[in-house]
Amino acid sequence: RLYSLDKSVTYDELDAFFTRLKKVADNPEYTVEYKFDGLTMCLTYDGGKFVRATTRGNGVEGEDVTAQCLTIKSFPLTIVYKGTLEVQGEAVIRLSVLEEYNKTAKEQLKNARNAVAGAIRNLDPKITAERKPEILFYNVNYMSEGELPSQVAHFDFLRSQGFKVYDFLRVCKGEDEVKAAIEEIEIERKNIDVLTDGAVIKLNSTKERDILGATDKFPRWAMAYKFEAEESL
């Protein structure tokens, strides 16, 4: 199951999230990362080999986009881990790549989000390749052998297997540190080459996540903090 994220747009809403977590976790540790505005992807490996790629779809069943994904050069076709593995990431088109594409394109692409969604969902893999998307990974959704104790461990494992992970993950001891990390993202996102629309706050501990569980739609241990849209992005 691939859940979507519950969203907050004010610190009051974020404080309610913190209050819910502290009912279960004593002195919870959080992580904060960028929320990229692209297309959620799920890649499956078996025996160390890439098997298929799908979109998130409705969270239970997604569109098979394996042929399109095979044109993307930024993810490994073979990995060291030999069990069944499902990893989650965000397909994006860098802003500089989109700008270059539009210089010669017959039909201009208005923004990076629509550009990457169209590239991945397009039935012609040649169009996918022309738009040069990449995937930034952030989650291990399933592994048949072993377990990862934290969000930090997720990032470390993904890197160890050759998946591209964006180099920003803040580990925060309390709410003030979380808010400082969100403010850091809000400033720095204007200077990076990927379209972003917020920050993602997660409970770091996997055991504490398991206690909280999920609703029908959202994990109770994660929250997206959304920023106002900017035309320049």
Side-chain angles (χ1 to χ4, degrees):
R1 176 71 182 270
L2 292 184
Y3 291 98
S4 26
L5 289 174
D6 200 2
K7 298 175 180 62
S8 59
V9 295
T10 68
Y11 278 167
D12 285 344
E13 292 173 332
L14 191 58
D15 286 340
F17 169 70
F18 293 141
T19 299
R20 182 168 73 236
L21 264 57
K22 285 190 289 186
K23 290 179 180 178
V24 174
D26 293 328
N27 301 315
E29 187 174 72
Y30 308 96
T31 60
V32 181
E33 59 199 80
Y34 275 86
K35 182 179 181 298
F36 294 112
D37 196 8
L39 182 69
T40 301
M41 299 280 291
C42 180
L43 274 61
T44 303
Y45 291 75
D46 193 25
K49 296 182 180 180
F50 171 68
V51 175
R52 75 180 62 83
T54 66
T55 64
R56 195 186 78 83
N58 61 11
V60 177
E61 184 175 356
E63 305 163 76
D64 190 322
V65 289
T66 305
Q68 295 88 326
C69 195
L70 283 169
T71 70
I72 301 174
K73 308 301 182 184
S74 62
F75 74 93
L77 295 177
T78 60
I79 59 176
V80 174
Y81 183 83
K82 300 305 180 186
T84 301
L85 181 73
E86 192 174 89
V87 293
Q88 186 177 351
E90 195 82 355
V92 300
I93 293 178
R94 292 189 179 266
L95 302 178
S96 58
V97 171
L98 179 62
E99 184 178 1
E100 285 298 313
Y101 177 88
N102 277 337
K103 287 179 181 178
T104 57
K106 293 181 181 178
E107 184 176 344
Q108 298 287 294
L109 299 173
K110 294 183 178 180
N111 61 65
R113 181 184 186 185
N114 291 346
V116 73
I120 299 296
R121 289 188 168 122
N122 199 289
L123 296 178
D124 185 355
K126 291 182 180 179
I127 292 178
T128 310
E130 287 172 358
R131 296 189 187 181
K132 300 179 181 178
E134 60 187 85
I135 306 174
L136 299 173
F137 294 89
Y138 53 83
N139 182 48
V140 176
N141 195 47
Y142 173 80
M143 59 194 314
S144 60
E145 301 170 11
E147 58 181 358
L148 300 172
S150 65
Q151 181 65 19
V152 172
H154 278 243
F155 269 50
D156 290 343
F157 175 82
L158 288 166
R159 288 191 185 98
S160 75
Q161 301 300 309
F163 296 102
K164 184 178 288 189
V165 175
Y166 194 78
D167 192 23
F168 184 103
L169 181 69
R170 297 290 180 264
V171 180
C172 304
K173 300 296 184 181
E175 292 91 328
D176 289 343
E177 289 187 14
V178 169
K179 291 172 183 177
I182 291 172
E183 289 163 9
E184 182 182 358
I185 288 176
E186 188 163 19
I187 293 170
E188 291 301 319
R189 75 188 183 110
K190 301 170 185 177
N191 302 318
I192 69 173
D193 199 26
V194 187
L195 185 64
T196 68
D197 62 352
V200 178
I201 303 95
K202 297 175 181 176
L203 191 60
N204 193 25
S205 167
T206 302
K207 287 184 179 179
E208 291 173 346
R209 290 180 183 186
D210 290 341
I211 295 170
L212 283 161
T215 68
D216 290 340
K217 295 181 179 180
F218 312 117
R220 291 189 174 95
W221 44 264
M223 174 72 72
Y225 188 87
K226 295 275 286 182
F227 300 135
E228 291 184 9
E230 295 191 13
E231 292 300 324
S232 60
L233 296 178

